[in-house]
Amino acid sequence: MSNSKEKQIISLIRDEIKELSAYHVQEASGFIKLDAMENPYNLPDEVKRAWIAELDSVFFNRYPDPKASKISERLKKQLALSDPIEILFGNGSDEIIQMLVMALAKKNAKVLSVEPSFVMYKMISKFCGVDYIGVDLNPDFSLNIQALKKQIVQEQPALIFLAQPNNPTGNLFYHQELCEIIELSTGLVVIDEAYTAFTEYDALPLLSLYPNVLVMRTFSKTGLAGLRLGYLLGNKSVLGEIDKLRLPYNINVLTQTLAACALDHYHLFLEQSKKIIEARNNLLQRLSENNDYEVFPSEANFITIRFKKINAKDAFLKLKEKGILIKNLDGAHPLLSNCLRLTVGIEKENTVLISALESLR
Ligand SMILES: *Cc1c(COP(=O)(O)O)cnc(C)c1O
């Protein structure tokens, strides 16, 4: 293709897309991988065997069940859902965020979230050409409830995303404050419970209290990040509208079969989560014994720390040299200055991490 033709074609791309940089994923092979909130345990053998046995009866030549009924039925039972609460599946919760923003992207519609939080709320709003409002958290990462209320009243966002617990800060927001936001909002409020496996908090009761609440969850952080399966819970009437722009057959047969097996053996994943919670609490304790950094409370499978003396970027690079991959949050938001995010691994990995951090002073 000639250079000028290429330029001409690129000029067709929307300006706001050209200004974006692509989602960056660190090269990870050979590293102790503590950067992406993955579960350190692979699929339990029992589930693997059940899945392989199931595959014998799968028709790979046919399109998958468009409603993913097997996983839908199992989840409804497990979560004790009853009418009018329904489930909608996405190829990861990222796809659900995309469906929601697309569905609500009327002219002048706005999406609101807090900052720092999960970057996809803002990114997907940009992809869809919808105005995004980010309200800064307090320095201790709690909600700035006055600022939020002001923005909600002023801007009337059609969609509010709140991650509970929040990523990348790890903390839970106060339940009472979430309720205040939900009550004040004339739009939908999505409570993103990606880390539900690692906290006692449960947003499901909000569904029966408030018609404008949706709860989003994912299989990713509990051991099945490779599957790409997220789901949205909410009132049938609202989900029915969102479902219209779900691409047909978005959940492939391999995912549907494996997720059904995983739900049949859910206790095994609960055991893994329990071990991760223990390891997190252990790691929190051990990190807090070191005065070189501030440790933020966490209800997730990661811990955010702030260096007091040394530079987070240097620490990140030195850990990388030692073969440990974590996430450098410095520069992502002013409230995250000099912060690193550490995903909880297995005990052995966490011990290596602790001694590597100790050696940084
Ligand atoms: C990881 C994460 C997700 C993404 O989930 P997928 O199902 O893997 O797309 C969503 N929300 C939050 C807050 C997350 O941290």
Side-chain angles (χ1 to χ4, degrees), residues 114-117 137-144 162-175 177-178 191-193 195 198-199 201 280 284 295-304 335-336 341:
V114 292
E115 301 267 318
S117 188
L137 294 172
N138 291 320
D140 68 353
F141 302 142
S142 61
L143 294 174
N144 182 343
L162 292 167
Q164 175 80 333
N166 190 36
N167 169 16
T169 58
N171 59 310
L172 285 173
F173 299 130
Y174 295 114
H175 174 75
E177 294 186 338
L178 290 185
I191 309 294
D192 181 350
E193 292 197 301
Y195 300 96
F198 314 106
T199 178
Y201 189 86
R280 175 197 70 205
L284 276 171
V295 182
F296 293 97
S298 170
E299 292 272 325
N301 63 343
F302 61 87
I303 296 168
T304 297
L335 288 172
L336 295 171
R341 186 186 65 194

Side-chain angles (χ1 to χ4, degrees), residues 37 92-94 118 121 163 167 192 194-195 218 220-221 228-230:
M37 283 82 84
S93 20
D94 291 347
F118 187 50
Y121 308 143
N167 169 16
D192 181 350
Y195 300 96
T218 174
S220 292
K221 310 289 154 63
R228 308 305 297 127
L229 184 64

Side-chain angles (χ1 to χ4, degrees), residues 2 39 77 80-81 96 107 121 131 144 218 270 309 359:
S2 76
N39 178 332
K77 213 186 219 174
L81 301 181
I96 295 172
K107 201 164 178 268
Y121 308 143
D131 281 345
N144 182 343
T218 174
L270 279 180
K309 297 170 205 137
S359 73

Side-chain angles (χ1 to χ4, degrees), residues 101-244:
V101 179
M102 285 197 299
L104 290 146
K106 281 189 186 180
K107 201 164 178 268
N108 300 324
K110 294 185 174 93
V111 171
L112 179 144
S113 189
V114 292
E115 301 267 318
S117 188
F118 187 50
V119 291
M120 293 317 285
Y121 308 143
K122 180 180 181 172
M123 294 292 286
I124 290 173
S125 300
K126 277 203 179 164
F127 300 165
C128 297
V130 174
D131 281 345
Y132 169 87
I133 305 157
V135 180
D136 281 356
L137 294 172
N138 291 320
D140 68 353
F141 302 142
S142 61
L143 294 174
N144 182 343
I145 194 76
Q146 294 316 323
L148 273 164
K149 282 180 165 176
K150 192 169 156 227
Q151 287 295 317
I152 291 169
V153 170
Q154 215 170 299
E155 308 285 348
Q156 302 276 315
L159 195 52
I160 297 176
F161 287 104
L162 292 167
Q164 175 80 333
N166 190 36
N167 169 16
T169 58
N171 59 310
L172 285 173
F173 299 130
Y174 295 114
H175 174 75
Q176 191 48 44
E177 294 186 338
L178 290 185
C179 293
E180 284 176 48
I181 290 168
I182 294 163
E183 282 166 26
L184 188 65
S185 170
T186 52
L188 278 175
V189 180
V190 180
I191 309 294
D192 181 350
E193 292 197 301
Y195 300 96
T196 184
F198 314 106
T199 178
E200 301 268 301
Y201 189 86
D202 179 3
L204 291 186
L206 294 171
L207 288 173
S208 46
L209 292 174
Y210 302 109
N212 61 330
V213 168
L214 298 171
V215 174
M216 189 168 68
R217 291 182 175 179
T218 174
F219 283 65
S220 292
K221 310 289 154 63
T222 33
L224 297 170
L227 273 197
R228 308 305 297 127
L229 184 64
Y231 56 96
L232 186 67
L233 305 163
N235 255 285
K236 212 183 222 163
S237 55
V238 179
L239 288 205
E241 295 302 321
I242 312 294
D243 194 50
K244 291 177 188 170

Side-chain angles (χ1 to χ4, degrees), residues 198 271-285 344-345 347 350:
F198 314 106
E271 281 167 24
Q272 292 184 345
S273 308
K274 229 173 108 188
K275 280 197 272 186
I276 295 166
I277 294 173
E278 272 171 29
R280 175 197 70 205
N281 293 343
N282 231 330
L283 193 57
L284 276 171
Q285 175 60 35
V344 177
E347 288 292 354
N350 300 337

